[in-house]
Amino acid sequence: KNQVEQSPQSLIILEGKNCTLQCNYTVSPFSNLRWYKQDTGRGPVSLTIMTFSENTKSNGRYTATLDADTKQSSLHITASQLSDSASYICVVRGTTRGGQNFVFGPGTRLSVLP
Amino acid sequence: DVKVTQSSRYLVKRTGEKVFLECVQDMDHENMFWYRQDPGLGLRLIYFSYDVKMKEKGDIPEGYSVSREKKERFSLILESASTNQTSMYLCASSSGGGTGELFFGEGSRLTVL
């Protein structure tokens, strides 16, 4: 069964500190993996996309990695800010047709405290 | 800026009422989706549409129906709302090709009393 797992479930850090969120998946065949940020009460917004051939990609203070062999991805946030407080959702897209080729992780809830 | 607009951010309905949630996208996307999001469960697919008048059931279609009469508009219908349908509903759209980024609306929080 295609699944996406994320850890930790929640995380609290102090402003200015770094953190890393993890995503493991079993989706096959694989097309791409996206990390989304969802602010409380808002819709998710894409942060970065990883395809099969990409190992690392940065978007400002966000750096995503992908290991397609072990089917693991991470999202590293550097020098956290209060505005980083949100849920981060890992979404893996398969190559089959249909709406269910997007498989969602349960999300990691990040709280950044002053 | 690309945009997915959901008609209502917050709704309160009574058990048994008919509920319409509307979603409009301005990106000429072929694909549109309705998800519900509950704490601890993540996003679950209710229905998916890949073209006008075409629809496919998702993981949890029971108690819901959809309508897509125009390419830009995708409606979710709760024929007879129940308390277990209290949730956040998210509409999304994506193009048929490319990397398939999902663009989400702001969500509609429905409370059924």
Side-chain angles (χ1 to χ4, degrees):
Chain A
K1 182 182 176 184
N2 289 330
Q3 283 188 313
V4 176
E5 297 177 344
Q6 292 186 245
S7 62
Q9 185 176 356
S10 62
L11 183 61
I12 301 173
I13 61 173
L14 294 177
E15 188 179 12
K17 297 297 185 182
N18 303 335
C19 67
T20 300
L21 314 179
Q22 301 288 346
C23 172
N24 297 336
Y25 62 93
T26 60
V27 178
S28 182
F30 172 89
S31 176
N32 59 58
L33 180 151
R34 284 185 186 271
W35 284 93
Y36 285 81
K37 179 187 180 188
Q38 184 177 23
D39 293 319
T40 301
R42 309 295 291 272
V45 176
S46 177
L47 289 174
T48 185
I49 178 175
M50 306 295 291
T51 58
F52 188 85
S53 59
E54 295 173 310
N55 299 118
T56 304
K57 184 177 285 186
S58 292
N59 177 6
R61 295 178 297 102
Y62 300 102
T63 299
T65 66
L66 175 67
D67 185 334
D69 291 331
T70 61
K71 298 187 177 180
Q72 296 180 325
S73 176
S74 66
L75 181 69
H76 185 75
I77 304 175
T78 304
S80 61
Q81 300 176 357
L82 298 178
S83 59
D84 292 331
S85 294
S87 288
Y88 292 84
I89 303 171
C90 177
V91 183
V92 180
R93 188 186 187 202
T95 59
T96 54
R97 283 184 55 83
Q100 284 146 323
N101 68 358
F102 291 98
V103 184
F104 289 78
T108 292
R109 177 74 204 172
L110 175 65
S111 299
V112 180
L113 303 180
Chain B
D1 256 0
V2 296
K3 199 147 186 167
V4 177
T5 304
Q6 294 185 227
S7 56
S8 305
R9 291 294 309 277
Y10 301 96
L11 303 95
V12 179
K13 298 291 183 180
R14 298 218 173 264
T15 300
E17 280 193 85
K18 192 168 187 176
V19 182
F20 290 90
L21 299 179
E22 297 216 307
C23 175
V24 178
Q25 51 98 1
D26 65 359
M27 296 163 281
D28 201 36
H29 282 166
E30 293 84 0
N31 303 322
M32 295 189 75
F33 308 77
W34 275 106
Y35 295 94
R36 67 176 280 177
Q37 185 177 33
D38 300 291
L41 296 178
L43 276 80
R44 293 179 291 168
L45 180 65
I46 304 171
Y47 266 99
F48 160 64
S49 170
Y50 54 91
D51 202 350
V52 175
K53 296 190 186 294
M54 306 305 288
K55 62 186 179 185
E56 284 184 7
K57 292 181 180 179
D59 299 316
I60 51 166
E62 297 78 19
Y64 303 96
S65 62
V66 291
S67 171
R68 192 164 181 203
E69 297 296 319
K70 293 185 177 182
K71 189 176 186 180
E72 68 271 18
R73 189 179 298 270
F74 193 35
S75 301
L76 180 69
I77 303 150
L78 289 68
E79 292 289 342
S80 177
S82 63
T83 55
N84 62 13
Q85 291 178 311
T86 292
S87 186
M88 168 72 98
Y89 291 88
L90 287 163
C91 175
S93 72
S94 74
S95 66
T99 62
E101 179 178 354
L102 287 168
F103 292 87
F104 286 89
E106 294 286 30
S108 298
R109 179 159 296 280
L110 172 66
T111 301
V112 183
L113 302 177

